Every structure is written in structure tokens, then in C-alpha cells.
Amino acid sequence: MAVQGSSDILIDELYETTYRLRLFVEARLREKGASVARLRALRMLARSEKPLRMRDLSEMTGVAARTTTSLVDSLERDGLVERVRHPEDRRAFLVRLTPAGVVCHREAEELDREALAEATAGLDAEDRERLRALLARIREATG
Amino acid sequence: MAVQGSSDILIDELYETTYRLRLFVEARLREKGASVARLRALRMLARSEKPLRMRDLSEMTGVAARTTTSLVDSLERDGLVERVRHPEDRRAFLVRLTPAGVVCHREAEELDREALAEATAGLDAEDRERLRALLARIREATG
DNA sequence: AACACATGCTGAGCATACTCACTATGTGGA
DNA sequence: TCCACATAGTGAGTATGCTCAGCATGTGTT
């Protein structure tokens, strides 16, 4: 019982830490019209040599296809990406960064790096390895 | 640069771990018509001697007042809680568990304990303390 | 008593995620 | 060739969170 009680608290702290970290990063990204979800998509588009299909973007960012539709809608409204018909597959769209999207990505990436470095400043290399190992053990247990 | 790159990965792992853990727990709670958000509210109502004001429930669960309104709407639709007018403050409602809510809470609490114990089964007491300390250091850096 | 301000809750609207159902299109086998 | 099945994207609906605006009510001050 005492052991179970202690995992409750531990997991609460894990949730709380992740939540606060997210707020911390979101607050900085918002200044440049970005967000964690947006940055993930912009990053994949920037890394890719060629425009990406919606499907590929979904898989690379790790969210459901439907979520990508909404996200790309919003990025497109803001002029950061554009959808182009796939030249060979008429079902598909290709998504690519606009010049404004390239700029937004670059700035957001910089802010993200700064924020994450700041958030983990209290951890040295050994701490990071230790944390990584502990998190990996939880992931193993949760499939 | 290498250091910043490594915090990226570390934080991604933190997000990923929390996300998967959430799915793991949600899947179990769903069987009983509960969820993480619902359980948090049911738990506070169960712990309290007296019915709680919406405001108090918000503070105890750590979410915005508006979020509590929607959550209580949903719990009320499912017959797990009920709103009663506050006898002295006509602006306020008191929220209390119904008998069905008491049962749902008890079952969800049990499933939650099991799931969390399972998720953290790979960690001994020392690991937990270490993880807790590392998380605390991130929280310190993020305000 | 009356006004100013604070508090309690909810409507409206947004962001991020999900599932399920559907349309349009591609593809492989009979 | 044509039918069955798979795949690409999105509409509809839901859950969980947020902010801002607004109404009703409480409270304290003059």
C-alpha cells in the first residue's frame, strides 16, 4: 500500500513536470506565432528535402492523420505552409513551407532550444543519462 | 550544441513517457466510464467531508474554473455527481457524488492504483527517489 | 442606501488530441 | 476489364485544456 501510494505521487509529479515544461515552452514559442505542435510539423517539413504528404507528416510528428489536417489548416491560414496537389496521386496533397514558414521555423527552433536548455540547466550529463534511463523503464512497462 | 541537442532528446522522451503513461492509464479507466480528469475530480469529492463549490473543486484539481464547469456537466450527464444550489451563496453551486459516483470513484481508484503500480514496477524505492529529485530540478527551472 | 469592486459560474471560441464514417482515388487479382 | 480492397484526406463529434467576456450576486466603503 505504501508503495502504491508512492507511485501515485511520483506519477503526479511526472505529469506536473511535463505540464509545466510545456507551458514554459509554449509561452516562449507563442511570441513567434508558433507552439509545440506547430513546431513539430514545421521541423519535419524543414528537415525534409521534398514536400511531405499529409500522411507522412502525421507519421513523422506522431499524431493521428485527422489532427494533421486541422494543424495544416491552421498553418495554411497563417501562411506558413501550403498544400499542393500531388502530381501523381490525386488523393494526396503535398505540404511545403512557405518563405514565412521557413522564417517562423528558424525562430521557433531557436526559442525552443533556448527554453529546453534553460529547463534542463540544473541537470548535468550524468543526471540526464539517469533520467533518460528511468523514463525508459517506465516506457517499457507501459508498452 | 551537442548539449542542447541532448536536452531536445531528453525532453522528447519526457513528453513521450508521460503521453504513453496517460494512454496506458486512460485505457484502463475507460472500462469503468472514468478518465484521468474525471478521477481527479471524483477523488477530491470523495476525500471531502462536505460537497465542494465549483471553485474549490477547480483549485483542488488544479484546472481552470471553466474546465471544471465542462467536466462537472459531463459527470452530471452520466449521473456521477450532482449540482446543488449553495444554501447561503446564491452565486455558487455545491457538487457532490451520487451513489453511482461513489461506486465509479472506488472502481476507478483501484484501476488507477493498479495501472500506476504496473507502470512503475521497474523502479525500486531508490529509483523513485532519484526520479523525483530529477523531476523536481526541472520544475525549479520552469517556475 | 448606493456605488464600486470582487467573486462564482458559464457562454463563446480556440488549440490539441482522439475515433469513426465517408468520399475519392489507387491497385491488384479474377 | 472490373470488382474488391487499401489508402489519402477530411467531416462530424468528443475530451481535455485554455482565455476572455459577461451576468448575477456578495461585500465593503462612503
Side-chain angles (χ1 to χ4, degrees):
Chain A
M1 285 307 138
V3 175
Q4 291 184 338
S6 89
S7 38
D8 279 14
I9 297 167
L10 179 59
I11 296 304
D12 279 351
E13 286 172 17
L14 180 57
Y15 283 161
E16 178 69 16
T17 305
T18 304
Y19 180 65
R20 282 217 232 159
L21 187 57
R22 200 176 190 101
L23 290 184
F24 183 77
V25 176
E26 295 280 11
R28 275 156 184 74
L29 293 183
R30 199 158 37 235
E31 294 164 26
K32 294 294 180 184
S35 67
V36 170
R38 284 178 157 218
L39 176 54
R40 271 205 313 263
L42 296 176
R43 179 178 290 156
M44 295 310 158
L45 291 168
R47 278 185 191 165
S48 165
E49 294 290 311
K50 308 207 163 226
L52 293 171
R53 296 161 87 108
M54 299 288 292
R55 193 90 220 165
D56 296 334
L57 192 50
S58 298
E59 276 164 20
M60 293 166 78
T61 54
V63 299
R66 189 61 184 78
T67 301
T68 298
T69 296
S70 297
L71 183 60
V72 169
D73 283 349
S74 142
L75 291 171
E76 201 169 28
R77 264 197 306 277
D78 289 356
L80 302 178
V81 306
E82 53 190 6
R83 278 183 177 90
V84 186
R85 281 270 168 213
H86 192 292
E88 283 135 43
D89 187 340
R90 285 187 298 160
R91 297 168 303 177
F93 286 101
L94 292 174
V95 186
R96 67 163 175 237
L97 291 177
T98 61
V102 171
V103 172
C104 180
H105 167 249
R106 192 166 47 229
E107 294 176 342
E109 201 71 81
E110 181 61 25
L111 290 176
D112 186 60
R113 264 197 299 275
E114 284 171 15
L116 296 189
E118 207 176 317
T120 56
L123 308 180
D124 62 24
E126 200 184 336
D127 291 331
R128 285 160 206 242
E129 259 329 295
R130 213 174 274 158
L131 178 53
R132 202 166 279 160
L134 292 166
L135 293 175
R137 239 176 294 164
I138 292 177
R139 283 201 303 281
E140 278 161 32
T142 52
Chain B
M1 284 306 140
V3 174
Q4 292 184 340
S6 90
S7 37
D8 279 14
I9 297 168
L10 179 60
I11 296 304
D12 279 351
E13 287 172 18
L14 180 58
Y15 282 161
E16 177 69 16
T17 305
T18 305
Y19 181 65
R20 284 220 230 155
L21 187 58
R22 200 178 189 99
L23 290 185
F24 183 78
V25 176
E26 296 280 11
R28 276 158 183 73
L29 293 183
R30 199 159 36 235
E31 295 165 23
K32 296 292 181 184
S35 67
V36 171
R38 284 179 157 217
L39 176 54
R40 272 206 311 266
L42 295 176
R43 179 178 291 156
M44 294 311 157
L45 292 169
R47 277 185 192 165
S48 165
E49 294 289 311
K50 309 208 161 221
L52 293 172
R53 296 161 86 109
M54 300 288 290
R55 194 89 220 166
D56 296 334
L57 191 50
S58 297
E59 276 164 20
M60 293 166 78
T61 54
V63 298
R66 190 58 184 78
T67 301
T68 298
T69 296
S70 298
L71 183 60
V72 169
D73 284 348
S74 142
L75 291 171
E76 201 169 25
R77 265 198 305 277
D78 289 355
L80 302 178
V81 305
E82 54 189 6
R83 278 182 177 90
V84 186
R85 281 272 168 210
H86 192 292
E88 283 135 46
D89 187 341
R90 285 187 299 161
R91 296 168 304 178
F93 287 102
L94 292 174
V95 186
R96 65 163 175 235
L97 291 176
T98 62
V102 171
V103 171
C104 180
H105 167 250
R106 192 167 45 229
E107 293 176 342
E109 200 71 81
E110 180 62 24
L111 290 176
D112 186 61
R113 263 196 300 274
E114 283 171 17
L116 296 189
E118 207 177 315
T120 57
L123 309 180
D124 62 24
E126 202 184 335
D127 291 331
R128 285 161 207 244
E129 258 329 295
R130 216 175 272 157
L131 178 53
R132 201 166 281 161
L134 292 167
L135 294 174
R137 238 174 297 162
I138 292 178
R139 282 202 302 282
E140 277 162 31
T142 52

